[in-house]
Amino acid sequence: MKNFVSVHDVKNIDALVKKALAYKADPFSDKTLGANKRIGCLFLNPSMRTRLSTQIAAQNLGMEAIIFNVGQEGWALEFEDEAIMSGNTVEHVKDAAPIFGKYFDILAIRTFPSLKNREDDYSELYIKQFIKYAGIPVVSLESATLHPLQSLTDIITIQEDLTEFPLRTGGKAKIVLTWAPHVKPLPQCVANSFSQWINAWGKADFVITHPEDYELSEEFTKGATITHNQDEALKDADFVYVKNWSTFKDYGKLYESDPKWMLTNKKMQWTNNAKVMHCLPVRRNVELSDEILDGPMSIITQQAGNRVWAAQAVLSEILKHNG
Ligand code: CP
């Protein structure tokens, strides 16, 4: 693995999941793999889980992690090639990224979409420019359209449950991604990425449910069953992944936050004792009810804990294949 920015960077999802679970069982089994190496984690946007889990994962591999909150502490970066920098940006990524390449062995970057211009966001300019100019492996800590470390974590968590309770699903698991209300427009990254990974994994009946006009890009959802009827989608579900996203077509809008889309225990009666997942952070009693979050079917804390093992498996692969 050279870079890790989408599922396309992974040859074998199951092998990567297995590796992550092996690290969960024995966190320090490769404690010298990253000795004398450094990862630079650049945050253009806020984070809790991604930041801490990546730092812990690097340390488990004997690697030093340096965190740089570029968005708050660094010079404002310019990403457009041939830009005339007479505005607010102070340093071009073409100048900054090669320096990160001198300081670090791996570069990890979090950057959010603007939600203003779909073509710009979906071009993934920021992460592509870092790949182009840094000269070292690049890991996405969430980009404009995808969140691959989260999605790998999600499959690790589903696989853990399937291994522990093989008879619960009675065959191929049914995984439902359901839209949830929110108070502000959010990126499509987690939903896009989850769809991309579950489709590529190919081991589940995958259903996406959302209100009309909240269709995601077909680039990621193709292969899934899509319905606007949440109750129908939830029927016999083994896993329910709850997430809000803003509109893709009329880009970045929040048309409504109809509370009827919030998952409740009543709605869970349709499912096959489904386990409930969410990437966090979550708005309680807006996106997800207290009764679900605090109830026995939530595997959300387990899921967030697994972020460490996903990051460790990815960093390990990069270290092994990039000397
Ligand atoms: N799920 C997730 O990426 O969490 P953070 O934004 O806290 O990193």
Side-chain angles (χ1 to χ4, degrees):
M1 189 186 292
K2 167 82 174 146
N3 301 303
F4 182 77
V5 299
S6 86
V7 77
H8 302 305
D9 294 309
V10 179
K11 282 203 187 88
N12 185 328
I13 295 174
D14 281 325
L16 197 57
V17 168
K18 201 170 161 191
K19 188 180 183 94
L21 289 171
Y23 280 135
K24 185 169 184 174
D26 189 1
F28 305 109
S29 54
D30 272 332
K31 66 182 180 197
T32 58
L33 182 65
N36 307 319
K37 306 241 181 210
R38 270 190 214 110
I39 180 171
C41 301
L42 311 189
F43 286 87
L44 282 82
N45 298 93
S47 166
M48 182 179 94
R49 280 145 289 269
T50 307
R51 171 181 168 149
L52 296 176
S53 60
T54 306
Q55 216 170 347
I56 294 165
Q59 285 170 0
N60 286 351
L61 295 168
M63 196 177 197
E64 187 184 2
I66 294 183
I67 308 291
F68 182 24
N69 292 313
V70 190
Q72 291 166 357
E73 298 158 0
W75 300 115
L77 288 174
E78 174 62 55
F79 288 88
E80 293 288 345
D81 281 332
E82 297 174 27
I84 298 169
M85 291 172 55
S86 55
N88 293 330
T89 54
V90 178
E91 179 156 28
H92 203 285
V93 66
K94 201 172 182 174
D95 301 311
I99 299 168
F100 295 133
K102 296 281 181 218
Y103 294 164
F104 304 119
D105 301 280
I106 299 175
L107 193 60
I109 297 138
R110 163 164 285 200
T111 171
F112 285 169
S114 68
L115 293 182
K116 289 187 180 121
N117 182 312
R118 186 174 72 186
E119 282 64 42
D120 281 358
D121 287 345
Y122 275 68
S123 75
E124 288 286 11
L125 179 68
Y126 285 24
I127 205 123
K128 281 184 183 160
Q129 292 289 64
F130 276 113
I131 290 172
K132 187 171 167 189
Y133 293 120
I136 54 174
V138 169
V139 173
S140 167
L141 300 175
E142 187 169 351
S143 66
T145 67
L146 294 170
H147 196 352
L149 279 173
Q150 180 66 55
S151 309
L152 173 58
T153 301
D154 300 336
I155 294 186
I156 291 166
T157 310
I158 291 168
Q159 184 59 63
E160 257 185 327
D161 187 81
L162 293 174
T163 307
E164 196 177 345
F165 307 106
L167 298 177
R168 190 175 72 80
T169 61
K172 207 173 186 186
K174 179 176 175 183
I175 300 176
V176 177
L177 169 63
T178 181
W179 184 90
H182 206 280
V183 295
K184 62 175 196 172
L186 293 189
Q188 294 112 33
C189 309
V190 170
N192 283 344
S193 196
F194 186 71
S195 303
Q196 185 189 48
W197 280 71
I198 294 295
N199 278 328
W201 195 40
K203 288 190 160 178
D205 290 327
F206 183 38
V207 179
I208 304 172
T209 183
H210 53 71
E212 282 182 34
D213 300 322
Y214 279 86
E215 279 74 18
L216 294 161
S217 167
E218 268 188 39
E219 178 188 351
F220 307 114
T221 60
K222 204 165 184 198
T225 302
I226 298 168
T227 172
H228 300 140
N229 185 333
Q230 192 191 41
D231 287 349
E232 186 184 286
L234 291 174
K235 196 164 182 305
D236 298 327
D238 299 298
F239 297 91
V240 182
Y241 200 104
V242 180
K243 185 73 186 88
N244 171 270
W245 60 86
S246 59
T247 53
F248 172 71
K249 280 185 191 153
D250 177 25
Y251 191 60
K253 304 285 191 307
L254 176 76
Y255 289 144
E256 54 153 326
S257 293
D258 190 342
K260 80 168 195 277
W261 277 86
M262 187 175 73
L263 194 65
T264 57
N265 274 345
K266 194 164 174 230
K267 290 186 189 183
M268 289 294 288
Q269 287 172 10
W270 295 105
T271 71
N272 178 30
N273 289 320
K275 300 290 175 68
V276 179
M277 304 175 73
H278 189 285
C279 63
L280 299 176
V282 65
R283 297 258 183 164
R284 278 180 176 255
N285 302 310
V286 176
E287 284 180 274
L288 257 178
S289 58
D290 279 342
E291 61 183 5
I292 298 275
L293 281 164
D294 301 330
M297 304 320 284
S298 168
I299 52 171
I300 292 170
T301 306
Q302 172 192 344
Q303 183 186 356
N306 284 338
R307 291 292 308 266
V308 171
W309 319 116
Q312 193 164 335
V314 166
L315 295 184
S316 166
E317 281 295 299
I318 290 177
L319 286 168
K320 280 183 180 160
H321 294 103
N322 294 278

